[in-house]
Amino acid sequence: VVAGCVAVCIEGKNILTQLKVAGSQNMPYLLSLALNNGVSMLNGQVEGAASGDATTFTSYEEVFEALRQQIHHNMYWGWRGSQIARQIDKKVNPLPWVSCLNENCIKEGLDARETADHYYPFFGCCSGIVDAADALAAIKKLVFEDKKVTMAQMVEACKANWVGYDDILIASHTVPALT
């Protein structure tokens, strides 16, 4: 049985309502955090890990590592939040109807919110992977391979949402996509 868009369920065995979701990973946003040392370019607040001053990066590998750190940070805190929510949820939102249809709940005599699901998927949804990959390709080509722009210029262009940086935006669009 497939439930929703990404959850695979084994009828009578696992409980979709207890799905461990580690938060959604918006890859372009996480890349923007990597380019700004974990600080949101949208609101100026710290929303990610301190991953270094991207304007000082001297290799593509440093950019990729900063992105990896943002993904790890976001996944961890999404997972922690889901665990806290599960603890609260089982106290305030019992599932008697789901429980009476689940083999493990019947066997253990527990509500679905209290029993361990033996077929318990854990996932974090990722969106914008293609866009982030294309942005990484542009950074790699323009900054580190062709040296047409500096990393500082690329970061400033992103912070300005490309306003006043049409030349970098056009150059970024000419880079062959990774996807």
Side-chain angles (χ1 to χ4, degrees):
V1 175
V2 177
C5 58
V6 293
V8 178
C9 297
I10 302 169
E11 196 168 329
K13 296 198 180 282
N14 67 333
I15 305 164
L16 179 63
T17 55
Q18 281 193 325
L19 194 61
K20 291 184 197 176
V21 179
S24 178
Q25 309 293 314
N26 180 327
M27 301 308 278
Y29 185 68
L30 294 179
L31 179 56
S32 77
L33 291 176
L35 296 178
N36 205 33
N37 200 21
V39 177
S40 171
M41 292 183 189
L42 300 174
N43 62 27
Q45 296 180 2
V46 175
E47 294 186 359
S51 54
D53 179 359
T55 63
T56 67
F57 292 170
T58 58
S59 70
Y60 170 75
E61 288 72 25
E62 289 177 280
V63 175
F64 195 84
E65 174 58 20
L67 175 59
R68 190 199 64 76
Q69 289 176 27
Q70 297 305 328
I71 294 168
H72 182 267
H73 177 85
N74 194 48
M75 181 71 89
Y76 173 77
W77 285 107
W79 174 80
R80 282 294 296 136
S82 73
Q83 296 310 299
I84 292 167
R86 283 186 66 227
Q87 295 304 313
I88 294 168
D89 210 25
K90 71 182 179 181
K91 293 177 183 174
V92 298
N93 189 20
L95 298 171
W97 293 111
V98 172
S99 302
C100 73
L101 299 173
N102 183 277
E103 292 175 10
N104 295 323
C105 295
I106 294 167
K107 187 182 346 177
E108 296 171 14
L110 295 171
D111 184 81
R113 299 275 192 208
E114 296 177 46
T115 184
D117 192 336
H118 301 284
Y119 304 93
Y120 206 31
F122 171 81
F123 73 98
C125 294
C126 293
S127 61
I129 294 172
V130 172
D131 298 318
D134 290 346
L136 286 169
I139 291 169
K140 185 176 185 181
K141 180 87 170 138
L142 297 176
V143 176
F144 299 108
E145 291 176 0
D146 295 350
K147 301 189 185 314
K148 288 185 176 181
V149 298
T150 67
M151 194 62 195
Q153 290 171 315
M154 185 64 81
V155 170
E156 285 306 312
C158 291
K159 285 181 179 179
N161 197 25
W162 307 103
V163 174
Y165 294 91
D166 292 338
D167 54 333
I168 299 175
L169 179 60
I170 291 167
S172 295
H173 283 276
T174 65
V175 172
L178 289 177
T179 53

